[in-house]
């Protein structure tokens, strides 16, 4: 028997939902940092910095020191991908969940509740891409507490979105996730999503080889 239940969002969930979402996104920042350090452009830049500092100072220790300072400075820059994304979400749709999801046609917001606490969230809404509107819905704001991962909560939330979209006659559900969210990618692929494209969030993202993956799950026809 499941130790959690999926239900629609209520006003008293507001703080818990926002906190859970922010924590879930920010925990991916270290993985993003490691990815950036593997970028050929970043490695080439660090090597060039080492050579230049060593040549200027005449000692390899100072070259290493310059690289160490660059690595320290790079961390907040990479983390800003996560912090800016969280900030934008908290002041837009997660600042008015009822207005953005519960009072909008073909949109909804659910939480997974266990022991009286919110342990997971997911939302669905018409996609931002005008070309997909009317044909697909977008899965958004998926997050599950660390203590409840591996218990099927994410799968249950994902299936709720697929059921919701299918019941309203939509032919697909789309979503986007970052390249460092490997566990999320496996979850979505296990639920029938396939990768259909990639993009970069900004010029800085392009330089650091940081990509966003776009997924789509085609739903069976209602008369099937």
């Amino acid at each position: 028997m499941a130790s959690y239940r999926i239900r629609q969002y209520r006003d008293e969930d507001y703080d818990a939902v926002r906190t859970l979402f922010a924590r879930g996104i920010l925990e991916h920042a270290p993985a993003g940092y490691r990815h950036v350090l593997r970028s050929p452009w970043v490695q080439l830049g660090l090597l060039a910095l080492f050579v230049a500092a060593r040549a200027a100072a005449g000692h390899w220790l100072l070259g290493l020191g310059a690289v160490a300072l660059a690595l320290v400075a790079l961390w907040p820059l990479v983390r800003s991908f996560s912090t800016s994304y969280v900030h934008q979400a908290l002041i837009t749709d997660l600042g008015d969940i009822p207005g953005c999801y519960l009072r909008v046609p073909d949109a909804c917001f659910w939480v997974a509740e266990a022991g009286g606490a919110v342990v997971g969230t997911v939302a669905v809404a018409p996609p931002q891409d005008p070309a997909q509107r009317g044909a697909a819905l977008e899965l958004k704001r998926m997050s599950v507490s660390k203590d409840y991962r591996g218990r099927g909560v994410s799968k249950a939330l994902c299936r709720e979105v697929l059921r919701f979209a299918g019941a309203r006659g939509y032919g697909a559900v789309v979503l986007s996730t970052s390249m460092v969210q490997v566990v999320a990618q496996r979850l979505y692929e296990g639920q029938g999503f396939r990768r259909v494209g990639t993009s970069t969030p900004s010029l800085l993202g392009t330089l650091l080889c940081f990509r966003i993956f776009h997924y789509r799950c085609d739903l069976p026809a209602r008369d099937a």
Side-chain angles (χ1 to χ4, degrees):
M1 185 175 181
S3 58
Y4 59 88
R5 68 186 180 106
I6 308 297
R7 61 167 175 81
Q8 189 170 295
Y9 170 89
R10 298 196 292 250
D11 288 342
E12 57 265 32
D13 302 324
Y14 181 76
D15 290 334
V17 164
R18 288 162 59 87
T19 298
L20 182 63
F21 169 78
R23 288 176 178 171
I25 295 298
L26 293 176
E27 72 180 45
H28 294 293
Y33 183 64
R34 291 191 295 271
H35 165 75
V36 166
L37 293 184
R38 291 192 292 268
S39 165
W41 289 107
V42 171
Q43 293 178 358
L44 182 61
L46 292 174
L47 177 61
L49 177 63
F50 171 79
V51 171
R54 184 182 183 281
H59 201 288
W60 63 271
L61 280 177
L62 291 178
L64 289 179
V67 170
L69 288 175
L71 291 174
V72 171
L74 188 60
W75 164 244
L77 185 64
V78 174
R79 193 172 188 269
S80 70
F81 282 119
S82 298
T83 55
S84 61
Y85 180 74
V86 168
H87 176 72
Q88 185 64 22
L90 295 181
I91 64 173
T92 53
D93 60 302
L94 292 186
D96 182 15
I97 295 172
C100 292
Y101 294 106
L102 303 184
R103 295 194 291 268
V104 174
D106 295 335
C108 196
F109 198 105
W110 298 271
V111 302
E113 182 183 58
V118 172
V119 299
T121 68
V122 75
V124 66
Q128 295 183 351
D129 183 356
Q132 300 190 71
R133 293 206 170 193
L137 290 180
E138 182 176 3
L139 184 153
K140 305 177 67 176
R141 307 314 183 206
M142 171 76 82
S143 186
V144 174
S145 169
K146 280 186 176 182
D147 295 335
Y148 279 82
R149 292 173 192 169
R151 301 191 188 188
V153 178
S154 298
K155 292 180 180 178
L157 290 167
C158 188
R159 288 168 184 163
E160 190 69 23
V161 170
L162 296 176
R163 180 203 60 77
F164 180 92
R168 282 155 180 76
Y170 283 90
V173 173
V174 297
L175 63 86
S176 299
T177 189
S178 75
M179 63 184 303
V180 300
Q181 293 175 270
V182 178
V183 174
Q185 293 165 32
R186 291 173 182 164
L187 163 71
Y188 298 135
E189 290 166 3
Q191 296 302 304
F193 285 85
R194 57 188 175 85
R195 194 188 303 176
V196 295
T198 63
S199 64
T200 53
S202 63
L203 177 59
L204 177 62
T206 300
L207 294 174
L208 298 179
C209 300
F210 189 89
R211 300 191 301 277
I212 301 297
F213 292 159
H214 304 287
Y215 281 86
R216 177 185 178 95
C217 178
D218 291 309
L219 302 176
R222 297 188 68 180
D223 58 354

